Amino acid sequence: MTELFRSVPALDKLLKTPQGVELVNQFGHQAVVTSGRQLLIEAREFIKREQHSPDFLQDIDRTLSYLAERLAEQQRVQIQSVHNLTGTILHTNLGRALWPQSAQQAALNAMGHNVALEYDLTEGARSHRDNYVSALLAELTGAEAACIVNNNAAAVLLMLATFAKDREVIISRGELIEIGGAFRIPDIMQQAGCKLIEVGTTNRTHLKDYRQAINENTAFLMKVHCSNYQICGFTASVSEQQLVALGDEFNIPVITDLGSGALIDLSQYGLPTEPTVQEKVAQGVDLVSFSGDKLLGGVQAGIIVGKREWIQQLQAHPLKRVLRCDKVTLAGLEATLRLYLQPEKLTSSIPTLQLLTQPVELLAEQAQQLAERLRQRLNSNYHIEIIDSEAQIGSGSQPMAMLPSKAVAITSPEPLALMSRLKQLSQPIVGRIEKGRICLDLRSVANLSELLKTVDEL
């Protein structure tokens, strides 16, 4: 045992070798010393426990090589890119919408340069950071102004905290939704300091239910678009147009949490119909909130559009500073929105729409290429075939609507082991297991050529 402990090299000896000097130059003295000490502590613990030396102590070169790997791992960013073959295009766990190329470039420019964020270049004076995007959203949606925060939950919180603190907000029981991460509309209302007034029933709510609940303490009539679930059968609901008329009668504003944030009619591409922001603004809704990283196809942001007098009050609330977006997000959002000024090019300029509108024939060709590459890399124990599949939009958008797709199905004795192997590649491949098979759905693949290169690592 004593000889084994003596075989553990001194840290100074490691640092004085040419490889040690190179590690210090590459990673810095403190990082190398800290990791080196920890490595030698682990070596002694291993000897005490196992009664022999660990492999990395066989010679000094191997020890330094192991230390270099550990230091490199410390520098490796853990939020790494993956290949999405789940068939869910807007996958919340995988970062939702891919940014358009112009949005990426705008973000990079904002990262590396000073930008006119809160500065009016024409007047040479301070301005508001939301101004550029606000004017653009007004043009695109017909609203008078806009306010930008970091996500749609924050947008709802800001609206309620600004106008409904210590007051009542009337909402249908059928719209008390829970979004991802067990985050619920009633919880947001509680945090905003307002009182929830539920009306109607889970499946049927009528205009008279809202009317009967109105009193002098009513701050809002609220609608929430139930994009992440559907109630079918014996149902009834009240439209924004009806609520606006009721609100006008009692001088009570109407707000809508639209969620998914469609700015175009998706049915023109053969996709399920989703209410648009423009429709709600045209119906007279005072404030409409929606997400930037869902069907809009851009950055994570909460966008509120509506009447200027209401937007100005939102901008002046102390919470707005807490929830505001930085220059990179605003640059990416503006660049994404500018693409909507050329609507005929959206399916090629916005990745989300491009993925959603791909013809099945193209997916079949891609599936064939992927299947062939997998057959070259996996042995005969794996049965590989191309199957019909059903993809989803994701992120709570149209959960019942399935999109026709193609997938490569892999049958193997140990599917979980292969799935684990796929996730350990330099750019992990994330699929789904269905009926005991690994299914790699092509509808959600961002870059086929990169995917095929990754498969070559098998």
Side-chain angles (χ1 to χ4, degrees):
M1 279 290 283
T2 304
E3 282 300 316
L4 290 175
F5 283 116
R6 285 177 179 170
S7 70
V8 179
L11 182 58
D12 285 348
K13 182 179 178 180
L14 294 176
L15 296 180
K16 289 176 181 178
T17 63
Q19 301 98 310
V21 172
E22 178 60 31
L23 288 178
V24 171
N25 289 335
Q26 183 178 355
F27 296 104
H29 184 269
Q30 182 175 336
V32 175
V33 168
T34 301
S35 292
R37 283 175 179 164
Q38 182 60 37
L39 182 63
L40 298 180
I41 289 172
E42 291 174 11
R44 294 185 184 96
E45 290 175 347
F46 183 93
I47 291 170
K48 185 177 180 180
R49 184 176 64 252
E50 305 294 337
Q51 305 293 304
H52 65 86
S53 295
D55 288 342
F56 62 80
L57 282 191
Q58 296 305 311
D59 57 65
I60 198 164
D61 287 341
R62 193 176 299 188
T63 303
L64 287 164
S65 177
Y66 191 83
L67 178 58
E69 290 177 9
R70 178 170 291 197
L71 288 163
E73 181 63 29
Q74 289 177 358
Q75 297 299 311
R76 191 172 292 120
V77 176
Q78 294 301 302
I79 300 180
Q80 61 186 120
S81 60
V82 303
H83 294 291
N84 177 10
L85 284 98
T86 63
T88 301
I89 289 90
L90 296 172
H91 200 302
T92 298
N93 304 135
L94 301 181
R96 290 188 179 170
L98 304 175
W99 288 26
Q101 192 63 42
S102 60
Q104 296 177 41
Q105 192 56 50
L108 283 172
N109 181 66
M111 290 177 195
H113 298 84
N114 292 119
V115 294
L117 179 64
E118 295 182 359
Y119 185 78
D120 189 319
L121 292 169
T122 302
E123 300 294 330
R126 181 169 183 164
S127 65
H128 196 282
R129 66 176 55 204
D130 289 357
N131 281 357
Y132 299 116
V133 175
S134 179
L136 189 52
L137 281 163
E139 180 178 356
L140 291 170
T141 68
E144 294 178 3
C147 172
I148 314 299
V149 290
N150 61 1
N151 62 25
N152 190 48
V156 174
L157 176 66
L158 180 61
M159 290 189 296
L160 296 174
T162 302
F163 300 111
K165 183 174 172 56
D166 299 325
R167 300 184 67 193
E168 297 177 355
V169 176
I170 302 174
I171 184 173
S172 168
R173 281 191 176 88
E175 296 171 8
L176 295 176
I177 64 170
E178 176 181 303
I179 58 179
F183 202 57
R184 300 173 174 180
I185 286 291
D187 295 338
I188 299 175
M189 290 186 172
Q190 184 178 14
Q191 291 299 317
C194 56
K195 183 179 180 181
L196 165 66
I197 303 298
E198 306 172 32
V199 297
T201 62
T202 302
N203 60 317
R204 291 178 68 82
T205 301
H206 306 281
L207 189 63
K208 65 181 181 181
D209 297 321
Y210 290 92
R211 181 183 293 276
Q212 291 170 358
I214 291 173
N215 60 46
E216 67 281 354
N217 201 36
T218 301
F220 276 136
L221 303 178
M222 184 174 182
K223 284 283 291 182
V224 177
H225 176 49
C226 302
S227 59
N228 62 352
Y229 76 99
Q230 291 181 358
I231 299 176
C232 303
F234 189 58
T235 64
S237 62
V238 179
S239 69
E240 275 91 346
Q241 204 160 11
Q242 292 173 292
L243 277 188
V244 166
L246 182 63
D248 289 343
E249 182 181 338
F250 289 90
N251 196 29
I252 297 173
V254 175
I255 64 173
T256 291
D257 171 8
L258 197 53
S260 58
L263 288 184
I264 55 171
D265 178 12
L266 296 176
S267 65
Q268 65 182 299
Y269 306 119
L271 296 170
T273 301
E274 185 79 6
T276 67
V277 178
Q278 293 92 322
E279 291 171 2
K280 303 308 174 186
V281 171
Q283 289 170 358
V285 176
D286 294 278
L287 293 172
V288 182
S289 74
F290 53 99
S291 298
D293 58 349
K294 293 184 179 180
L295 288 176
L296 183 66
V299 307
Q300 177 183 297
I303 304 166
I304 308 170
V305 298
K307 297 175 181 175
R308 181 168 285 103
E309 61 175 306
W310 295 93
I311 296 294
Q312 287 175 342
Q313 292 182 65
L314 292 174
Q315 299 286 20
H317 195 279
L319 259 183
K320 173 61 203 305
R321 186 172 182 86
V322 176
L323 303 173
R324 72 182 184 180
C325 294
D326 72 339
K327 62 177 183 176
V328 175
T329 298
L330 289 170
L333 178 58
E334 182 189 349
T336 302
L337 290 170
R338 291 200 177 279
L339 296 174
Y340 280 86
L341 299 174
Q342 299 176 310
E344 69 281 358
K345 296 183 178 181
L346 288 174
T347 54
S348 59
S349 62
I350 294 184
T352 296
L353 295 178
Q354 186 268 325
L355 293 174
L356 288 172
T357 58
Q358 292 177 100
V360 177
E361 294 76 16
L362 176 60
L363 299 179
E365 293 175 9
Q366 295 177 346
Q368 186 64 45
Q369 294 181 61
L370 177 59
E372 286 299 321
R373 193 64 60 94
L374 286 165
R375 290 188 185 107
Q376 294 170 10
R377 295 291 177 259
L378 298 175
N379 60 39
S380 58
N381 291 330
Y382 300 91
H383 177 68
I384 298 168
E385 60 182 325
I386 298 172
I387 63 171
D388 293 330
S389 182
E390 291 185 324
Q392 301 180 72
I393 296 175
S395 291
S397 300
Q398 297 284 351
M400 303 301 290
M402 307 306 291
L403 307 178
S405 186
K406 291 289 182 178
V408 175
I410 308 172
T411 304
S412 74
E414 297 181 350
L416 292 179
L418 178 58
M419 184 72 88
S420 176
R421 189 176 169 194
L422 293 173
K423 291 176 182 177
Q424 291 170 7
L425 298 171
S426 61
Q427 187 172 356
I429 295 174
V430 183
R432 66 178 191 263
I433 292 183
E434 192 175 278
K435 297 179 180 178
R437 302 179 297 183
I438 294 176
C439 290
L440 304 177
D441 195 304
L442 277 296
R443 173 70 70 179
S444 51
V445 174
N447 190 312
L448 181 65
S449 61
E450 286 187 5
L451 172 63
L452 296 178
K453 288 179 182 177
T454 303
V455 170
D456 283 341
E457 297 174 19
L458 288 170

